[in-house]
Amino acid sequence: MEALSLLELNALVRRSLEQCLPDEYWVQAELSDVRTNSTGHCYLEFIQKDPRSNGLVAKARGTIWSNVYRLLKPYFEEATGQAFVSGIKVLVQVTVSFHELYGYSLTVQDIDPTYTLGDMARRRREILKQLEEEGVLTLNKELEMPTLPQRIAVISSPTAAGYGDFCHQLKNNPRNFFFYTELFPALMQGDRVEESVLAALDLILSRQNDFDAVVIIRGGGATSDLSGFDTYLLAAACAQFPLPIITGIGHERDDTVLDSVAHTRVKTPTAAAEYLINCMDLAADELEVLITQLHNSVISRLTEEHRRLALYRNRIPSAVVRRVSDAKLALLTARKDISQAVTTSLARQQHRLDLLRQRLVDASPEKMLARGYSITLKDGKVVKDATLLNEKDEILTRFYRGEVTSVVNHKS
């Protein structure tokens, strides 16, 4: 049996594939290991994973020649807002080729961005559904924006044009409202967006009492770098953040997952500044309305009180006359009452005096003598006890009419 060299076998395989698969084919796959060399050619790997085990079930090497790649990449990224990088799912038109030295590969001729958009939308829906099931999807939206949001924590790249526009817009607002802003630097593009923004949020959380709201702004970056804002971890952190979050990451197309969970989503950093200024405008307008209402209420109250005062002033003379008349009448009545009370009291006291006088008269010596009693005196003093007298004592006995003098001869 005649043996084939490896080169001859590979050449046979190449001719067979060219004969069996001469057409172009649309293939669904996931990108892996995307690399671009100095000549502009893109080398990558297409893979397919088992949806249940996530294990690889197919793999193929792919090539996009520079003349195709320089047109295909910007077209795809502009249409999807997604960078042409590893990890995304694509629908590509390929031709099958086999090289004796490099083996089997797929050469990309075209790409359908709508397939990737659908997959990206599906992933966004899955993240939002998971957040909703966890009960955190709308937590940040339910926070009340402070009436005066003046202390703003800003997450942005310090060199981003959008950050400068944001600060300039706040500083030069028409009504000269004061805003305090503090930058928490973060990467706004590339594969470290999630990690960088989460770190900035952690720093703000440690000082949450110093701020009224958080603004995440981008501006000036490529549309294809928005995928960093479509991650579950970043969305979950923002949804549960205790301060209202305003996003202005500079794109007109579909909202990212971060936009969907933020308290307020605006298109650009400048629009984020305008939103904050508008909040202050509303508070200032409401304050002016309250000032006007207070002024009108005070004027109305003063007018009413002046009217009442004038009414009371007009009532004073008649009230005084009536009060004086009432006082005079009360005085006359009181005088009569006093006179009657005094007369009654005097009569009562006079009656008591008469009774006492009668009792005194009844108890007088003359009254007693008139009844037949007599009074014996010795040396001018009433004798009440016979033992106090001695024989030969001279005593005086007084009767109602007359008196006699006698000498004690004997006592028993």
Side-chain angles (χ1 to χ4, degrees):
M1 182 178 62
E2 183 179 356
L4 297 175
S5 68
L6 178 59
L7 178 60
E8 290 172 332
L9 178 60
N10 283 353
L12 179 60
V13 171
R14 178 173 62 80
R15 289 193 301 271
S16 299
L17 286 176
E18 289 173 352
Q19 292 173 0
C20 295
L21 302 171
D23 300 324
E24 296 174 340
Y25 302 92
W26 285 99
V27 177
Q28 301 172 357
E30 180 178 325
L31 296 184
S32 175
D33 193 23
V34 179
R35 294 174 286 107
T36 305
N37 67 8
S38 58
T39 61
H41 301 313
C42 178
Y43 299 99
L44 64 158
E45 193 171 60
F46 295 107
I47 60 174
Q48 181 178 344
K49 298 177 181 178
D50 184 282
R52 288 171 295 183
S53 65
N54 207 38
L56 287 179
V57 295
K59 181 169 64 172
R61 184 167 54 87
T63 305
I64 310 176
W65 302 121
S66 61
N67 62 324
V68 176
Y69 187 63
R70 65 172 174 263
L71 299 175
L72 183 146
K73 181 177 184 291
Y75 163 65
F76 174 83
E77 292 183 345
E78 179 64 27
T80 64
Q82 167 69 57
F84 192 79
V85 294
S86 299
I88 62 173
K89 292 184 178 180
V90 294
L91 177 62
V92 289
Q93 187 184 53
V94 299
T95 57
V96 180
S97 61
F98 188 88
H99 190 276
E100 289 84 349
L101 179 60
Y102 301 110
Y104 168 74
S105 69
L106 303 176
T107 302
V108 177
Q109 305 296 333
D110 199 359
I111 191 168
D112 183 359
T114 58
Y115 175 82
T116 304
L117 282 172
D119 183 66
M120 291 167 59
R122 178 188 58 78
R123 282 190 292 149
R124 291 194 189 105
R125 289 195 301 269
E126 289 175 351
I127 292 174
L128 294 176
K129 182 180 180 181
Q130 182 177 352
L131 293 173
E132 184 176 14
E133 290 173 349
E134 293 171 355
V136 301
L137 179 63
T138 62
L139 289 183
N140 199 259
K141 293 181 180 298
E142 294 168 6
L143 295 177
E144 184 176 355
M145 181 65 69
T147 304
L148 301 175
Q150 295 177 283
R151 304 173 302 162
I152 311 301
V154 183
I155 299 178
S156 180
S157 169
T159 58
Y163 173 61
D165 294 340
F166 173 81
C167 293
H168 180 269
Q169 188 79 2
L170 284 186
K171 185 176 181 181
N172 297 281
N173 67 85
R175 298 173 75 169
N176 294 318
F177 297 130
F178 172 77
F179 289 93
Y180 166 78
T181 61
E182 183 173 343
L183 176 65
F184 291 82
L187 297 175
M188 292 287 108
Q189 57 187 11
D191 57 2
R192 294 185 58 199
V193 169
E194 178 188 71
E195 172 190 349
S196 183
V197 175
L198 286 174
L201 287 173
D202 286 341
L203 290 175
I204 297 170
L205 183 61
S206 67
R207 297 172 49 201
Q208 69 176 88
N209 293 331
D210 295 339
F211 303 102
D212 300 315
V214 178
V215 172
I216 302 177
I217 51 178
R218 180 174 166 269
T223 305
S224 60
D225 290 322
L226 293 174
S227 58
F229 300 99
D230 277 327
T231 70
Y232 168 79
L233 289 179
L234 182 55
C238 289
Q240 300 175 80
F241 204 73
L243 296 175
I245 292 179
I246 303 165
T247 58
I249 53 181
H251 61 104
E252 302 281 344
R253 205 179 44 77
D254 296 336
D255 290 348
T256 64
V257 175
L258 179 60
D259 290 321
S260 299
V261 301
H263 182 281
T264 302
R265 182 261 189 187
V266 295
K267 294 179 180 179
T268 63
T270 300
E274 291 173 351
Y275 171 80
L276 292 170
I277 295 170
N278 184 60
C279 288
M280 297 290 287
D281 276 332
L282 292 175
D285 292 343
E286 184 178 354
L287 182 59
E288 289 180 357
V289 170
L290 293 175
I291 290 173
T292 301
Q293 291 177 349
L294 178 61
H295 178 268
N296 293 339
S297 296
V298 169
I299 295 299
S300 177
R301 184 63 181 271
L302 287 175
T303 301
E304 176 63 19
E305 293 302 322
H306 279 305
R307 187 191 67 79
R308 292 177 61 190
L309 185 60
L311 181 62
Y312 291 148
R313 185 170 54 218
N314 294 334
R315 290 179 179 176
I316 287 175
S318 59
V320 168
V321 171
R322 185 171 61 253
R323 188 65 180 269
V324 170
S325 298
D326 292 344
K328 286 181 178 179
L329 179 61
L331 184 60
L332 290 174
T333 302
R335 183 183 298 168
K336 291 180 181 180
D337 291 342
I338 291 173
S339 177
Q340 184 177 357
V342 169
T343 301
T344 301
S345 179
L346 288 175
R348 186 165 55 250
Q349 297 301 326
Q350 182 64 45
H351 178 67
R352 288 184 63 195
L353 288 174
D354 291 342
L355 291 177
L356 292 173
R357 184 182 301 113
Q358 185 60 45
R359 289 176 64 183
L360 286 174
V361 170
D362 291 341
S364 65
E366 289 78 8
K367 197 75 171 177
M368 296 298 292
L369 293 174
R371 293 176 182 173
Y373 293 97
S374 63
I375 300 173
T376 300
L377 305 174
K378 177 186 175 183
D379 298 329
K381 296 180 180 179
V382 176
V383 178
K384 298 179 180 180
D385 188 354
T387 60
L388 298 177
L389 296 176
N390 298 315
E391 292 182 1
K392 308 259 188 219
D393 285 342
E394 185 178 292
I395 57 176
L396 175 68
T397 300
R398 183 174 293 169
F399 301 98
Y400 178 66
R401 287 188 177 88
E403 54 187 28
V404 294
T405 301
S406 57
V407 176
V408 177
N409 293 322
H410 175 74
K411 66 176 183 177
S412 57

